[in-house]
Structures are given as structure tokens and as C-alpha cells.
Amino acid sequence: MTKDEFYMGKALEEAATAYAVGEIPIGAVIIYEKKAIARAYNLRESLPCATAHAELLAIEKACRALGRWRLTGCTLYVTVEPCPMCAGAIVNSRLDRIVYGCADPKAGAVRSVFQIVDTPALNHCTAVTQGIREKECARLMTDFFRSRRQK
């Protein structure tokens, strides 16, 4: 198992927790110096808050853990490609790298619909690795929405 696959497993654990509490199953983990400094899952329904996406919650926790808003030296692992709001936060927090599982063809803002995190016009570009444990990440989303439709 590669390092990326291992850490994506941690993000999948977060996504499974989201699923269990009725949230869209997206999980995120931020790694700094080989250590998970922040873990989060979607909480939009539970809080309720439109901005309670896994990525934003993990970024907030990582900033508190490091005592700074610049997350240089950090990698974000997230199960689903981030939306435009989260991609903007990734750029603004100066994350070095993002690793995501499955694409979001309707709202993905890293590769699918927009390419926000590596837009040269912005003040920071983030390296991207996509498709890590893609089938597992996609299956969790598919299962969740199938279950919702059946209810």
C-alpha cells in the first residue's frame, strides 16, 4: 500500500462516519510531517451550515493545530473532488498538495468542471493527485445516494 492509499484510507474512515450519521459521505484528512493533524467529514445537515464541508472543517482544524493560516508543508486527502468553495479555501490556505479519490463531474473544481487549484492567475497553485482508491470513494457515494432514493 502506498502512502497516498494509506492516508486516503483515513479519509474514507471519516466518510464512513458521515454516512453513518446521514451526511453526504465525504471525508478529509490533512497530513503534516507524516502526521494527521486534522480529520473531518461533512456536517452540513447536522450543524446545519452550508459551509460545513469536510475540506473546510479540516482546514480550520489544521490551522488551529499549527497555529497559523498558511498550511504550507501540508497535504489534504479527500474522498471526493472538492467543489469551488473548497478549492478556493485550498488555494487561500496555501496547501502544498491535494489528493482526492473520485471525481465530481457536476461540481468538481480541481479537474472536472473547473481547475481552480492550479490556475496561474491566482497567488498559489496546489499540486494534485487524483484517483487514489477511486472505486472505494465512488462506491460510498453511490451507495449513499441509492439508499436515500430508496427511502
Side-chain angles (χ1 to χ4, degrees):
M1 178 176 286
T2 68
K3 172 185 70 162
D4 285 345
E5 291 169 338
F6 175 80
Y7 289 128
M8 186 59 72
K10 300 301 179 190
L12 278 161
E13 290 172 8
E14 294 296 311
T17 301
Y19 191 122
V21 299
E23 294 281 354
I24 293 175
I26 299 174
V29 177
I30 296 180
I31 306 301
Y32 178 70
E33 296 181 347
K34 299 179 182 176
K35 182 180 174 190
I37 61 167
R39 298 171 65 119
Y41 55 88
N42 272 12
L43 286 172
R44 290 191 311 172
E45 301 297 331
S46 300
L47 286 182
C49 180
T51 62
H53 289 206
E55 302 95 321
L56 293 184
L57 297 170
I59 287 170
E60 289 173 14
K61 289 178 180 181
C63 289
R64 285 194 300 274
L66 295 177
R68 56 185 166 98
W69 66 267
R70 287 182 186 89
L71 297 180
T72 51
C74 295
T75 299
L76 167 67
Y77 290 84
V78 62
T79 55
V80 178
E81 180 181 9
C83 71
M85 175 179 65
C86 293
I90 289 163
V91 170
N92 285 324
S93 65
R94 311 296 198 271
L95 280 157
D96 284 355
R97 183 171 173 241
I98 176 176
V99 178
Y100 68 88
C102 63
D104 181 348
K106 293 182 181 178
V110 175
R111 291 287 182 265
S112 297
V113 180
F114 304 103
Q115 296 78 44
I116 292 173
V117 301
D118 53 11
T119 300
L122 297 176
N123 61 348
H124 176 76
C125 290
T126 302
V128 176
T129 302
Q130 60 191 24
I132 302 299
R133 298 180 72 168
E134 180 176 16
K135 288 180 183 174
E136 292 169 81
C137 295
R139 188 178 321 113
L140 199 55
M141 294 292 283
T142 302
D143 290 350
F144 176 80
F145 285 110
R146 181 180 300 121
S147 169
R148 259 201 170 166
R149 284 190 298 275
Q150 290 172 350
K151 289 180 183 178

